């Protein structure tokens, strides 16, 4: 039986949610609690133990300040890591942590790279405004694939990179567009800062990783990503190091693809959204959707020459072409099919960033940003769910879907 994709899933209006615990206070500053939490980057079922899940932290509690060149880190010593959780009733309970260490065994921080290869242009500062050191080995983890041998692949926004880590969290390999015997295509170095490789999933063959940029690349120049809806999806053969590239067309420029889950050799699920709260009265979310992405028939847009701008069409980068212009150039993007409209379901969070297939449900994890947000004046305030008196927290939402959508 081939793939059978229903017109929509999650038509039942009751969403089952599971809490993520514990929720510790990392720091209290000016009366505002910074929570841990922070397991909002990705979600992956443990392939060796039903009922267990791996959740991935972000780089650490951070927020914007009035100076756009700077990024404030509330807890600079925070170590990004994987948490292992067991489902116990309506709660995911953390049973272990797997902190990341470098190939030399040194702890990895979430601080940004210096202004060179992999740099985001951010100057890290502390809560008091003092400048923090860069970390050339820092990691901004956003995607997680858990393998049957106990190891993991992480997608990292800084490089951007694909990072293979041992079951204990030690870096085994870091694959980026910049250096190494195995590299990502050079064009990915043009990722829009903080919108790099946002998600990763292992295909059923157990050797091919799929990863997707959060938004369009800044290709050919900074600012392109904010005006383009053409996102690159990459397949990386972990055995040979070879890659293939495909295009995914977002509903509008500037949206985010924040998660991937693999269903078949050519079929993935992704979340596309506008980073807004559903119930925000001033600027409510409009697009927060789960799509099935079919790569069968899509054009591989790899650049045999490996140039910094990638494959060109009529002398132009692919990010600057409209959908009609891509087709006229003989380039077919991946086909996408709507599976679930999270706004219509009343999903309350702004950033759904984890996605997994668990039995006959889709599991969606939100990014809680450690319960904090910028106050717009250089400080922090609680990140509240609009219309409530609740500080945002990590929850896993389970959405029923047609079990026939699986490949048999």
């Amino acid at each position: 039986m081939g793939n059978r994709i229903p017109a929509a899933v999650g038509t039942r209006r009751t969403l089952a949610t599971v809490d993520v615990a514990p929720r510790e206070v990392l720091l209290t500053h000016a009366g505002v609690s910074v929570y841990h939490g922070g397991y909002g980057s990705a979600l992956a079922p443990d392939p060796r133990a039903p009922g267990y899940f791996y959740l991935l932290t972000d780089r650490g509690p951070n927020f914007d300040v009035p100076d756009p060149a700077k990024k404030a880190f509330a807890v600079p010593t925070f170590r990004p890591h994987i948490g292992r959780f067991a489902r116990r009733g309506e709660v995911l309970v953390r049973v272990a942590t797997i902190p990341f260490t470098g190939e030399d065994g040194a702890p990895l921080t979430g601080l940004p790279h210096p202004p060179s290869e992999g740099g985001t242009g951010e100057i890290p500062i502390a809560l008091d405004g003092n400048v923090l050191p860069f970390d050339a080995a820092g990691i901004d983890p956003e995607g997680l694939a858990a393998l049957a041998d106990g190891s993991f692949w992480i997608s990292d926004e800084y490089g951007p990179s694909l990072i293979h880590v041992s079951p204990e969290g030690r870096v085994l390999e870091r694959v980026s567009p910049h250096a190494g015997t195995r590299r990502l295509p050079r064009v990915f170095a043009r990722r829009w800062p903080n919108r790099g490789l946002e998600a990763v999933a292992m295909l059923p063959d157990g050797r091919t990783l799929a990863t997707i940029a959060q938004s369009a690349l800044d290709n050919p120049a900074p600012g392109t990503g904010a005006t383009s809806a053409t996102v690159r999806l990459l397949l990386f053969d972990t055995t040979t190091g070879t890659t293939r590239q495909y295009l995914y067309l977002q509903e509008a420029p500037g949206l985010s693809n924040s998660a991937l889950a693999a269903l078949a050799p050519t079929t993935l699920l992704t979340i596309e959204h506008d980073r807004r709260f559903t119930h925000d009265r001033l600027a409510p979310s409009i697009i927060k959707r789960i799509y099935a992405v079919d790569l069968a028939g899509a054009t591989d847009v790899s650049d045999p020459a490996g140039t910094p701008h990638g494959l060109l069409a009529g002398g132009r980068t692919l990010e600057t072409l409209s959908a009609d212009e891509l087709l006229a150039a003989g380039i077919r993007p991946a086909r996408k099919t709507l599976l679930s409209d999270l706004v219509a379901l009343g999903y309350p969070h702004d950033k759904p960033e984890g996605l997994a297939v668990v039995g006959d449900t889709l599991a969606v994890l939100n990014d809680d940003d450690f319960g904090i947000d910028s106050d717009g004046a250089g400080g922090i305030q609680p990140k509240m769910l609009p219309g409530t008196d609740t500080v945002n927290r990590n929850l896993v939402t389970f959405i029923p879907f047609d079990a026939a959508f699986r490949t048999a």
Side-chain angles (χ1 to χ4, degrees), residues 18-20 37-40 365-368 392-396:
V18 173
D19 201 359
V20 176
Y39 289 104
L365 170 71
N366 71 296
D367 183 0
D368 71 343
N392 201 19
R393 63 184 299 151
N394 291 135
L395 293 171
V396 179

Side-chain angles (χ1 to χ4, degrees), residues 9-10 13 15 258 270-273 278-279 285-291 338-355 362-365 397-399:
V9 298
R13 296 290 168 158
L15 301 181
S258 58
T270 189
I271 299 177
E272 182 180 339
H273 65 93
T278 299
H279 303 300
S285 179
I286 297 172
I287 294 176
K288 204 176 301 292
R289 301 170 183 170
I290 301 175
Y291 286 100
L338 178 64
L339 291 186
S340 184
D341 185 331
L342 297 179
V343 172
L345 292 177
Y347 182 81
H349 305 290
D350 56 339
K351 295 190 290 185
E353 296 199 7
L355 177 65
L362 302 178
V364 178
L365 170 71
T397 301
F398 289 91
I399 305 172

Side-chain angles (χ1 to χ4, degrees), residues 92 130 148 282 288 301 309 371:
L92 285 185
N130 288 328
L282 298 178
K288 204 176 301 292
V301 295
H309 294 291

Side-chain angles (χ1 to χ4, degrees), residues 140-274:
D140 185 3
E142 294 293 349
L144 175 68
L147 277 58
D149 66 0
S151 67
F152 306 91
W153 278 94
I154 309 295
S155 63
D156 159 57
E157 283 200 308
Y158 280 150
S161 306
L162 293 175
I163 303 175
H164 190 199
V165 301
S166 72
E168 297 75 35
R170 187 166 182 160
V171 172
L172 302 173
E173 182 182 20
R174 193 184 291 234
V175 186
S176 79
H178 307 293
T181 56
R182 307 204 301 178
R183 297 189 184 187
L184 301 182
R186 292 173 68 190
V187 68
F188 279 88
R190 297 186 175 275
R191 56 93 179 90
W192 181 359
N194 290 322
R195 297 209 182 187
L197 295 180
E198 185 71 9
V200 68
M202 180 64 76
L203 295 185
D205 64 8
R207 61 182 278 177
T208 305
L209 279 177
T211 185
I212 192 169
Q214 181 175 341
S215 302
L217 304 180
D218 274 342
N219 185 29
T224 304
T227 61
S228 174
T230 302
V231 174
R232 295 186 187 239
L233 190 154
L234 181 78
L235 299 186
F236 174 74
D237 189 316
T238 60
T239 300
T240 65
T242 57
T243 62
R244 288 173 281 160
Q245 294 182 58
Y246 300 93
L247 301 182
Y248 174 98
L249 300 186
Q250 293 179 334
E251 296 301 293
L255 297 178
S256 296
N257 283 87
S258 58
L260 284 177
L263 289 176
T266 63
T267 308
L268 299 156
L269 297 184
T270 189
I271 299 177
E272 182 180 339
H273 65 93
D274 53 19

Side-chain angles (χ1 to χ4, degrees), residues 2-35:
N3 295 336
R4 291 190 288 162
I5 303 175
V9 298
T11 53
R12 283 180 264 171
R13 296 290 168 158
T14 301
L15 301 181
T17 59
V18 173
D19 201 359
V20 176
R23 192 181 189 222
E24 305 146 325
V25 176
L26 290 172
L27 173 77
T28 299
H29 176 75
V32 178
S33 294
V34 181
Y35 290 99

Side-chain angles (χ1 to χ4, degrees), residues 308-360:
H309 294 291
L311 186 71
L312 302 179
R316 297 167 59 189
T317 63
L318 303 184
E319 284 76 10
T320 63
L321 300 179
S322 69
D324 289 341
E325 288 170 330
L326 288 170
L327 291 176
I331 297 173
R332 295 179 59 188
R335 183 169 61 91
K336 58 193 256 191
T337 302
L338 178 64
L339 291 186
S340 184
D341 185 331
L342 297 179
V343 172
L345 292 177
Y347 182 81
H349 305 290
D350 56 339
K351 295 190 290 185
E353 296 199 7
L355 177 65
V357 179
V358 183
D360 61 354

